[in-house]
Amino acid sequence: MIYLINEEVYRLNFFMENGFVRKECKSCKRHFWTLDPDRELCGDSPCVPYYFIKNPPTRRAYNINEMREEFLSFFEKKNHKRIKRYPVIARWRDDIFFTIASIACFQPHVTSGEVPPPYNPLVISQPCIRTTDIGNVGKTGGRHLTIFEMMAHHAFSSKEKEIYWKEETVAYHHEFLTKQLGIPDDEITYIEHWWEGGGDAGPDLEGIVRGLELSTLVFMEYRKVGNTYEKLPLRIVDTGYGLERFTWISKGSSTAFEAIYGELFDKFLKKFNLEKPDEKILCEAMKYSGMVDVTDSNSLMEYKLRVSKSLGMDIVSIERIIRPFEIVMAILDHTKTIVFMLGDGLVPSNVQAGYFGRFFIRRVKRLMDMLKVYVPISELLYMQLLYWKDQFPELMEKSDYILHVAELEISRYEKTIEQGKSIISKLIKNEEIQKNASIPVEALLKLYDSHGLPPEMVKEFAESYGIKVEIPEAFDAMVSALHSSTSTKKEEDILQGIPSSLPPTELVFYSDPKLRSIKARVLYSDNNRVVLDRTIFYPEGGGQLSDIGVMIDNGREVKVLNVKKSHGIVVHFVDKPIEIGREVECFIDWQRRKILSKHHSATHILIGAARRVLGDHVWQHGAQKDVDKSRLDITHFEKINDKQLREIENLANKVIQECRPIRVYFEDRNIAEQKFGIRIYQGGVVYGRKIRIVEIEDWDVEACGGIHCSNTGEIGLIKIIRTERIQDGVERLEFVAGEQAIRYIQSQEDLLNELSKILNTPIEHIRKTTINLVEELSKSRKLIESLREKIAQSLYSNLKPEVINGFQLYYGIFDLSHEELLKLASFIIKKDNMSITIFISKIDGTVISMIGSEAMKKGINAGKIVSNFVSMFGGKGGGKQDIGQGKIPLSKIQEIDFHKIKNSINDMVIK
Ligand SMILES: [Zn+2]
Ligand SMILES: [Zn+2]
């Protein structure tokens, strides 16, 4: 890497012509460019404190909306096209959950050169979510946020077309800061830096003013491959101007939160019955907050001492004043994050992106608990929605969903906590925990992650039992880190051993999907694989199974068992080899193809129906199109009820009856995204400049590689046969379509006919007959119960216990079932609290022992009695103190010698 960085990379004409000098920071040793020849420090934290607080360098103060507009319109005037924001959930990526930077909107398709950018150059203000700094939000006055807007101008230059590069980028930046905002030019420093992210890399310059890093200007031109760097096909200007920081510096307020949230901050404070701390204390505290390395406890202490000294107050008093204020800032930040996550369609759950929705909602509740205040979370979220409604009207449109789901999550959380107490009481009985009298961090993490129990609650509860709990500062960051990585499945290498020189297979199933047979040439074959020059066999993909069929090689039939595709080559898995170079005639199993395509089109119809019935947050989580039946997994926050299910089914069948055309075509990725939105990626991430679009007229549009019907009418019928909550936040719909649906309905009818025969009643009377039967059955059960009671009673009055040391021993072998023996034993122990019972069933060899309450207090153990007993006869059994159960082979029953048993119980009693 080092060889790529040298002074020359940063020595711009812009700097030379405008009189900038290159210096080394006395404190951090980084190099920077400045117009002030006397400057010794880079100007960034931690080398200098914030000195814009109460001392803004801009011509005037801007609120956040004014600042966004100032930026966007400045670059519009410089011929950049303004584009709309992307969602905060990065559905087009399989390596990250959230949009973490503006460039993430264009990765990997645009940055790899495969797809042209929507406009070039362009300007955007992109809301971004980053969860890694969650523990620091509030504590640093605004340096850390989980949600922020990255304003950016991007230019993508290629060999063929130069847009602009370093010189213009820095010139634009400088002009915006100085001419537009009025920041004195000698106050801006540019620090030299090297940037890497998402596998891309390049040099960058950081724009610093009065202790605050405002912007990063990245010149992305390398791709990291192993330990080396390769040139990218494009040179990309990747800038990031922190909207919140620009607003903050223009206001010079003590924290960024006051600048971002303005009156909303005051409203939150009022809701929580808190006063803003003394301005002087706040300013002092925040001035140095930029210098803290929050991961380093020494640095934190140093900072506290510094603030304490400059204010002449002790640390504890300062913290008591500042801490509640810090918590409110965190709540402000998190409630905004929740509004954007849910508004962009996230469904809280325990997995993937959904996990973070749940995590943030719970964290807000916990933060309020720390403040000892309670405000319904929906109220806070609604205040956020109102505050952002002019700039982000799309969020307000989703307000019903956002408020409902957040409250639902809180009520689930409260239930979890109720159940949590028993989980913790169990845990603290653990030997290791008892020995150390403390709960380790790993256990705390597990309690939160698997059971949803917040560490504060664990602490409070465990400490009342004398078990200590230390909650690490970085607890939430540790939890968040557990969930931060997305896993990408590794593809098996189906091409192993196949020459890489083979041309891509011609995909005739796409160009002519109605073709049932074709002649093709064998380009490669081994024992179980065949590659052809062209094929009509659809390879497995997008949740659709592959076609199967046969290849006829000179009259000889070769079965095609499975088909897969990799890197443009379709591999047919066959039962015997074919000579390379032969021409074969291929036939696909047309019946199977028809069913699979009906099931696939039915999936698209169903997702459209589910979205209309349940809401826009419904997203495909997974799908499997099989022959017998298919399934569609969708995100939804609660169990789908019967009424909704019927509505979905009815709506889907209505669409079928309307015979809407299903159009399949290739479209430029940019055009498709602009026309239909990110929603087209229901089936997951797709690659390529042109993507295959499957459009059901006015109903559903998806990027999909599957084989479909050409009209919804062809499907005939959809029947949902089952729903299941496969995980929190994901509902599974199992369904059948076409002939399979008819077959299913017929089988249901067969079942009814059979029942009618068994019950000997016409179908229309089955319901009534069954109700009567169930009632009779329950009456009979009650009768049996009372008969058993009577048997037990009469047996008891005939049983003579033996007295051993004050205990009454009841024993015997009976012609009774397991249930009846239990009845007898429980009858006895209720009557006689010094009783010890042991009974054996002649019917099946069951052994039962139960102990009266006083006998138990004296340490008699039923489980041990049974295990001693069965071990004498080669049986199995054991149990707890109050009840023991076991079984011995029936053949051993004659051998039972009750003397031995009495002796063993005698031993137990005397001990
Ligand atoms: Zn420095
Ligand atoms: Zn599809």
Side-chain angles (χ1 to χ4, degrees), residues 13 37 87 104 186 227 409 641 761 785 806 889:
N13 287 335
D186 60 346
N227 281 328
E409 276 297 310
N641 64 36
T761 186
E785 261 317 278

Side-chain angles (χ1 to χ4, degrees), residues 182 239 243 338 364 376 427:
T239 62
L243 170 60
I338 294 165
V364 167
L427 179 83

Side-chain angles (χ1 to χ4, degrees), residues 542 600 604 625 702-706 708:
H600 198 146
H604 290 217
K625 297 96 185 177
E702 295 180 33
C704 172
H708 284 266

Side-chain angles (χ1 to χ4, degrees), residues 276-388:
K276 204 169 158 184
D278 183 75
E279 191 71 21
K280 193 172 157 251
I281 298 176
L282 204 54
C283 286
E284 271 319 289
M286 293 304 154
K287 194 161 112 188
Y288 299 113
S289 67
M291 304 175 79
V292 196
D293 175 0
V294 275
T295 57
D296 175 4
S297 57
N298 285 336
S299 160
L300 212 59
M301 195 32 88
E302 219 171 89
Y303 154 67
K304 286 176 182 171
L305 285 170
R306 196 162 183 173
V307 177
S308 150
K309 211 172 133 195
S310 74
L311 284 169
M313 283 170 78
D314 64 286
I315 293 178
V316 178
S317 318
I318 298 173
E319 288 217 322
R320 202 168 40 229
I321 296 166
I322 296 290
R323 186 69 194 132
F325 197 66
E326 288 177 348
I327 293 176
V328 177
M329 293 195 268
I331 294 176
L332 270 169
D333 169 87
H334 297 353
T335 46
K336 182 184 178 191
T337 303
I338 294 165
V339 158
F340 272 81
M341 279 183 179
L342 299 185
D344 281 355
L346 183 119
V347 177
S349 73
N350 280 335
V351 291
Q352 299 172 347
Y355 176 84
F356 289 95
R358 171 158 297 168
F359 179 61
F360 274 87
I361 292 169
R362 292 185 171 188
R363 193 170 141 88
V364 167
K365 174 76 173 68
R366 285 169 48 208
L367 291 169
M368 284 198 279
D369 290 345
M370 285 180 204
L371 288 177
K372 301 203 171 13
V373 294
Y374 171 73
V375 178
I377 192 165
S378 50
E379 268 182 44
L380 301 179
L381 297 179
Y382 194 67
M383 286 157 77
Q384 286 278 7
L385 284 168
L386 282 176
Y387 187 70
W388 298 106

Side-chain angles (χ1 to χ4, degrees), residues 596-611:
L596 288 174
S597 53
K598 282 178 190 179
H599 274 169
H600 198 146
S601 298
T603 312
H604 290 217
I605 293 176
L606 273 177
I607 191 112
R611 201 158 49 224

